[in-house]
Amino acid sequence: MNVSKVLIVGGVAGGASTAARLRRLNEDVEIILFEKGEYISFANCGLPYYIGGEIKNKSDLTLQTPKGFGRRFKVDVRTFNEVISINKEEKTVEVINHLTSEKYVESYDALLLSPGAEPFRPGIEGINLDKVFTLRNIPDTYKIKDYITENSPKSATIIGGGFIGVEMAENLVTAGVKVDLIEMQNQVMPPFDYDMACIIQNEMRLHGINLMLETALEKIEENGSSLKVYTSKGVIETDMVILAIGVKAESKIAVDAGLSVNQRGGIIVNDNMFTSDEHILAVGDAIEVLDYNTKEKAMVPLAGPANKQGRIAADNIAGIKSKYRGTQGSSILKVFNLTAASTGINEKTAKRLGINYEKSFTVSSSHTSYYPGSEEMYVKLIFHKDTGKVLGAEIAGGEGVDKRCDVIASVIHFNGTVDDLTKLELCYAPPYSSAKDPVNMAGYVAENILNGVSKIFHHHEVSDLKRDGSIHLIDTRTRGEYAAGHIEGFINIPVDNLRQHLSELDKNKKVYIVCQVGLRGHVACRILQGHGFDSYNLSGGYALYNEIYNKNK
C-alpha cells in the first residue's frame, strides 16, 4: 500500500500493537489513534486482579499512557474521541470529541479497525440496575472496586462461568465476598471438556463458591439495599451482580459502512487482515478468524491473537507481505491454587466434526516426587487415531501447567504427533521436572494406545460395566488406598500380588483394571496380557474418576 496517513480505531491490544509496529517500520507515516475512552494499551486481562487486591496500584493497569505512547511512537493519540461513521468512497471518518461534543472529519489512506467487543446484556428485567456491573475496561473496574470499598458487600452473584466469571469469582472471594455463580450450561469454562471442568469446579467449591449449573437467569429486582436474582432454580438475595455472560463484536461502524460481516457481527477479513474494502483492515475481538485447528470460521476474543493480528496488519500497511495463520485458542486460567490451560480442539469439537479421535488421561507430578513441593497435574490429550496427530490438550493442576500446555501448543502448531511428544528433549532438574516430563508421559501413553500395547476404558464407561460376574473388575491399588475410597464392584488385588492370583481369574472374561492414576493399572494390564488375558486400564485412574463423580457434587 502507498500510504502517508493511517487512522486507527481502538487503542487497546490490537490498535496499540498496530500503531507501535507501523511506527517502527515507517518513521514518516502520519498515525492517528482514536480511543473513545480515557485509556489506551491497558491490561484488560488484569482487571479482575485489581478488584481482588492482587494488583495494588491503579497505575499498574495502564501499560502506556496516551501521552507516553504518543511521545515514544510519534502517534497522535486522541482519547475521548469516537469514530462514529466511515465514508468508504471519500476515505474519511466522522469523529465525535466527547469532551467538547464537537464533530469533525479525518481522511485516511488506510484505516485500521480494532473496536473490540462489548459485554453481552440479555434483554431481561433489571439488567440495567445500578448494582448490576459488567467488566470490560478500566472505568468498569474502578466502579466495581469503589462499590466494594464503599459498601462492603457481603455477597455477590456472577452470571456466567467463562473466563471473566471464574476470575471475578476468585477475586471477589479474595476480597471477602460470598459468591454465587450462575451458569446455563452443565459446566464452567466452555473451552474445557466436562471431565476437566470438574477439576476447576471442585477448586471453586473448595473455596466456598456456590455453583448453580444448568440454571437460567430470569430477572433481577431491587430489594431495598440489595437485589433479588430470579433464576430457573429459585431466588437469590445478593448485594451485587456481575454480568459475565459473554461478549459481542462492537462492529456497528463496520456494519453501517457496508463492510462484510458474519451473522454474529464479526468483521470478515482475509489472512492479510484486510476487510472487504481494500483500504480498511481490522483486528482483534471484533473480527472473524480462521480456527487454526479445524479450519472453520470462528470468533476468539483473546489478547494474544489480537496483538499478533495488529503486527500483521501493520506489516501489510507498510508493504511487508505478512499473513495470519489462524487462531489456535491457547488459553490459561488461575483458579485459587489451581492452574487450568487448554490448546487446540477439545473433545466436544472433535465429536462435532466427526474426527476419528482418541483421548488419554495422565496424572503426573510437576517435578520429581522426591524433591519437595511437587504437585499433581491432570493432562487430557486429544489425538487422531489414524495418524497420531495431536489435536488438543487440557491440563489442570499446580505449578508447571503453563509450560506443559505451551509445549503441546507448539507441537500442534507444527502438526506434530504423539510420537513427537515422546521424542521431545525438555529441560530437567529435580526442582523443575522429571526425567520423563509430563509431556513425554502423555505421549508415551497415547503411543501405547495407538500401537495396541495398552487397551483403555474411560470414566464415562465405568457405570456401564456389568457387575454380574461376566467380567473381572480389579482395583490394583494398596489395601489402604482401596479402603479410603473405591469404585463400586471393583475387588482389590494390589498389583504386586497380581501374579499370585492369576489362577483365580477366568481367561474367557475381560478384565477391567483401575489404579490411582493409571500407571500401576498399565503394569497390571501388561502382566495380564502376558498371561493371555484381555485387559483394559482406566485412563486417568481413580484420581480422575474421583474428581468427576465424587468431589464434583
Side-chain angles (χ1 to χ4, degrees), residues 358-362 381-390 416-424 436 438-456 522 526 529 539:
E358 182 56 277
K359 61 189 175 188
S360 66
F361 297 92
T362 51
L381 193 70
I382 308 293
F383 50 95
H384 201 286
K385 275 187 178 181
D386 298 326
T387 64
K389 181 180 177 181
V390 181
T417 66
V418 296
D419 181 64
D420 293 316
L421 296 182
T422 71
K423 301 297 192 295
L424 288 173
K436 294 178 181 177
V439 170
N440 299 136
M441 288 303 299
Y444 292 142
V445 170
E447 187 178 60
N448 281 340
I449 293 169
L450 287 177
N451 61 26
V453 169
S454 180
K455 294 181 180 180
I456 60 169
H522 175 64
R526 294 308 303 160
Q529 288 171 17
S539 188

Side-chain angles (χ1 to χ4, degrees), residues 17-321:
S17 294
T18 303
R21 171 68 171 173
L22 184 58
R23 175 57 70 220
R24 290 193 293 267
L25 294 175
N26 188 325
E27 184 64 17
D28 299 320
V29 65
E30 180 183 3
I31 304 172
I32 304 175
L33 188 151
F34 301 98
E35 171 54 52
K36 67 180 179 181
E38 180 180 357
Y39 303 93
I40 68 160
S41 192
F42 61 84
N44 50 358
C45 295
L47 300 181
Y49 301 100
Y50 174 72
I51 293 168
E54 285 289 321
I55 298 173
K56 305 295 184 185
N57 302 315
K58 287 183 177 182
S59 59
D60 291 337
L61 295 175
T62 50
L63 306 178
Q64 285 274 9
T65 65
K67 185 177 180 180
F69 187 88
R71 183 171 57 246
R72 174 168 294 182
F73 295 108
K74 202 175 75 173
V75 173
D76 181 357
V77 180
R78 301 181 187 178
T79 55
F80 297 111
N81 279 247
E82 180 180 2
V83 174
I84 55 176
S85 67
I86 303 167
N87 186 322
K88 294 186 299 182
E89 289 71 29
E90 299 292 331
K91 292 170 61 179
T92 61
V93 299
E94 184 179 15
V95 187
I96 182 170
N97 184 325
H98 288 297
L99 297 178
T100 65
S101 297
E102 170 199 2
K103 291 183 180 180
Y104 62 96
V105 172
E106 283 285 355
S107 63
Y108 63 83
D109 296 314
L111 173 64
L112 185 283
L113 303 179
S114 183
E118 58 184 334
F120 177 72
R121 285 180 175 267
I124 64 170
E125 182 182 337
I127 206 71
N128 294 313
L129 291 172
D130 289 342
K131 296 183 183 69
V132 178
F133 303 91
T134 58
L135 182 62
R136 181 198 179 190
N137 51 36
I138 289 180
D140 292 343
T141 308
Y142 292 165
K143 189 176 179 182
I144 297 171
K145 182 74 169 179
D146 290 346
Y147 178 82
I148 294 172
T149 302
E150 294 167 8
N151 298 278
S152 300
K154 292 182 173 58
S155 61
T157 299
I158 296 172
I159 315 298
F163 283 98
I164 293 297
V166 173
E167 289 172 348
M168 278 303 305
E170 176 187 357
N171 281 282
L172 286 171
V173 168
T174 302
V177 180
K178 180 183 177 298
V179 174
D180 297 288
L181 188 148
I182 298 170
E183 169 57 52
M184 284 191 67
Q185 297 187 44
N186 67 343
Q187 66 170 81
V188 299
M189 295 304 300
F192 291 81
D193 290 314
Y194 175 80
D195 39 33
M196 297 299 285
C198 286
I199 301 171
I200 299 172
Q201 290 164 185
N202 293 336
E203 182 72 8
M204 296 175 74
R205 291 189 177 105
L206 181 66
H207 288 82
I209 295 171
N210 177 37
L211 295 179
M212 299 178 65
L213 304 175
E214 298 181 283
T215 304
L217 174 66
E218 294 179 344
K219 67 176 180 177
I220 305 171
E221 286 183 352
E222 286 188 305
N223 183 42
S225 60
S226 63
L227 297 172
K228 278 189 175 180
V229 178
Y230 291 80
T231 78
S232 57
K233 293 185 178 178
V235 181
I236 303 169
E237 188 169 333
T238 190
D239 294 325
M240 62 187 297
V241 170
I242 306 287
L243 286 179
I245 298 173
V247 296
K248 60 179 181 178
E250 197 167 1
S251 56
K252 184 176 184 301
I253 60 169
V255 174
D256 291 346
L259 298 178
S260 296
V261 298
N262 64 18
Q263 291 182 336
R264 297 172 58 190
I267 304 169
I268 296 174
V269 297
N270 63 17
D271 55 9
N272 303 119
M273 312 316 300
F274 282 93
T275 69
S276 54
D277 184 284
E278 62 181 348
H279 301 286
I280 304 175
L281 304 89
V283 300
D285 295 354
I287 71 167
E288 177 185 83
V289 297
L290 182 72
D291 186 306
Y292 183 81
N293 312 286
T294 67
K295 309 308 178 187
E296 293 185 313
K297 300 295 184 181
M299 295 185 70
V300 185
L302 294 172
N307 278 282
K308 293 176 179 64
Q309 293 156 12
R311 180 184 177 91
I312 289 167
D315 284 354
N316 284 289
I317 293 171
I320 299 173
K321 297 301 180 184

Side-chain angles (χ1 to χ4, degrees), residues 457 459 462-463 465 467 473 475 477 482 485-491 514-515 538 541-542 545-546 549-550:
F457 65 109
H459 61 85
V462 170
S463 61
L465 295 176
R467 267 73 169 178
L473 304 175
D475 187 320
R477 296 176 298 158
Y482 182 83
H486 59 270
I487 301 173
E488 181 184 358
F490 281 74
I491 64 169
V514 61
C515 71
L538 178 61
Y542 182 78
Y545 182 90
N546 192 42
Y549 299 100
N550 296 335

